Amino acid sequence: MRTLLLLLVLAPLTVFAQPTVTGSQPAANATQVARDADLFVAFDSPLDPASVTPASVRVFGRWSGVSTGTLSLENGNRRLRFSPDRPFMAGESVTLSLSRALTASGQAMDAAWALQFWVASAPSEAAFVVGDWLSIREEGENNIVSYGAYAGDLDGDGDSDLAVPNEIPADVRVFLNDGTGRYGEFTTYALPDGDWPSPSEGADLDNDGKTDIVVGNGRNDRLSVMMGDGAGSFTSLASYPTTGTEVRGVAVLDMDGDGWDDVATANRAAGNVSLFLGNGDGTFAAPTTVEPGGIGETTLAPADANGDGILDLFVGSYDDNQVILLLGDGQGGFTVSDRVQINGSAWMLATGDLDGDGDADAVVASSYANAVETVFSEGDGTLTYGERLDSGSFTIAVDLGDLDGDGALDIVSSNYITGDFVIYRGDGTGGFRESQRVAIEGAGSCAVLHDRDGDGTLDVTGIDEINDRIYFLNRVPTATEPQPDTSARLVRLSANPSRGPVRLALRLPEPAHARVRVFDALGRQLATLFEGVTRSREIVWADEVAAGTYTVVLETEGDTPRLLPVVRW
């Protein structure tokens, strides 16, 4: 009998790994990123092109809102590129979020990934002085305790609008920017189940490209949600119970990588944090609770503290004077990593890279210590205490921004009892020096750092909760300050030549009536891109036209028309 031997030849088993981010441009927590910069994320393996969509790759500017643009793959599909349709706002922070829907060879990312950075602002050594103010009250109304403000573009015109929560009437009042840095009449939105609303942040909760707002309520257990229509109004208002009372802090981030914005709240009376996972339609699942271990958790902010591309949460506690770091896992979970003792009660904190090491740090409004305090991340999940900076009496708000355009983040504190704002200039290595104190008539309740008038520099807008006013702090050039450009300008921001829409920036030395028109090579008018009173405006010419050279003409009262050639192909 013969024995037959059966030989089995096994092909090597191919294992497809989940895609992993290997780098980005700009780098995490970078400052001075160009307003029109393309964003890049590199991977260790080729991405599946079908998985690269506006839902899996989202970009949101804190003030400019949803950034639309062109997504493309390069370097053998190992590099993702996002080219924004219009510039970011000067000086704002921006978050690029990747969801777990991104795949390589069918394998999905195992966790959310995010890149945060700061957009450049124009250099300026100017000092600030109090300009005019705007009342937040209705005629005949008594004190409404206006506290907090969100300065996002609510109507899609490229300007920074204002949404101001008011504690006593439990509403939010919306002021639209007229394009010159001024604001007219407001619209009032009563918050269902609202009770002393104050902390607020912008979001796009349903991925419709329109800015929504979430608001915490300081005297009950409610998270208020305002769904924007993209034209400056809010068509749906709702509230959700948190897992604790006195909701003093709110933060927006994609915690679990599903491509939808989620919300975390800090609940002072309960001493905990609530995590709300978004359903994708502006609603939320029932919240879960995280116990950071402090007493009186009051404020929180998302940032990447350890450089793994996953957003973490810095939490400040009020009753035991701590800053606590919660590391995110990118799948919806957070664990306590470290904590640092500070001198005062943490009323509010803000995050950014204070010392230039690439990791996010925190600056805290230490209310009863009458100070601002810095806390540094070491990049490995640990924290170290920085320094105590004397502020005014009863410091209750703080924010960050590059006020002088030198690439280092600066601090503005708000002081209730002394009624002032204190500006600290950062040196980029973690040190700060007091630069100026600006007093108002009332309470320094909070300050918003935004490019109010579109001139490329960061402005300071203050809220006073005693007189219920918006104070506009204006710049006064110093002797060495470069004099402002007094010429009208029309600048092309897109590539030359352009195959698609052309982005243009209109800049005037002061508000004036302007008209921007397009003519073909034969002198025939094709379109009026803008006509009205403005100081600065972003304009997009998206008409489909034949290849050729066109002329964009800027006309302002009393000036010679300015011509800008544009090539379309």
Side-chain angles (χ1 to χ4, degrees), residues 173-188:
R173 302 185 182 186
V174 173
F175 299 78
L176 297 181
N177 195 321
D178 67 1
T180 70
R182 302 187 68 84
Y183 301 84
E185 298 294 323
F186 58 80
T187 303
T188 301

Side-chain angles (χ1 to χ4, degrees), residues 128-149:
F128 289 92
V129 298
V130 177
D132 54 355
W133 55 266
L134 187 62
S135 178
I136 309 170
R137 298 177 186 173
E138 301 275 7
E139 185 176 354
E141 201 170 28
N142 295 319
N143 182 226
I144 60 175
V145 190
S146 302
Y147 178 66

Side-chain angles (χ1 to χ4, degrees), residues 95 176 282 469:
T95 301
L176 297 181
R469 294 173 177 174

Side-chain angles (χ1 to χ4, degrees), residues 91-163:
E92 71 173 335
S93 60
V94 176
T95 301
L96 183 154
S97 302
L98 303 181
S99 82
R100 291 190 284 165
L102 278 178
T103 63
S105 299
Q107 298 296 307
M109 296 180 65
D110 66 347
W113 187 90
L115 167 69
Q116 292 183 321
F117 61 88
W118 295 78
V119 179
S121 55
S124 174
E125 292 293 335
F128 289 92
V129 298
V130 177
D132 54 355
W133 55 266
L134 187 62
S135 178
I136 309 170
R137 298 177 186 173
E138 301 275 7
E139 185 176 354
E141 201 170 28
N142 295 319
N143 182 226
I144 60 175
V145 190
S146 302
Y147 178 66
Y150 173 68
D153 179 10
L154 303 178
D155 56 2
D157 63 356
D159 303 315
S160 180
D161 306 309
L162 291 171

Side-chain angles (χ1 to χ4, degrees), residues 312-349:
D312 312 305
L313 287 172
F314 284 83
V315 180
S317 57
Y318 177 83
D319 292 309
D320 61 349
N321 307 350
Q322 290 192 83
V323 172
I324 305 165
L325 177 59
L326 303 178
L327 291 183
D329 62 10
Q331 299 177 352
F334 293 88
T335 56
V336 176
S337 176
D338 200 7
R339 63 187 70 236
V340 165
Q341 199 73 29
I342 59 176
N343 293 288
S345 299
W347 195 288
M348 180 180 177
L349 61 76

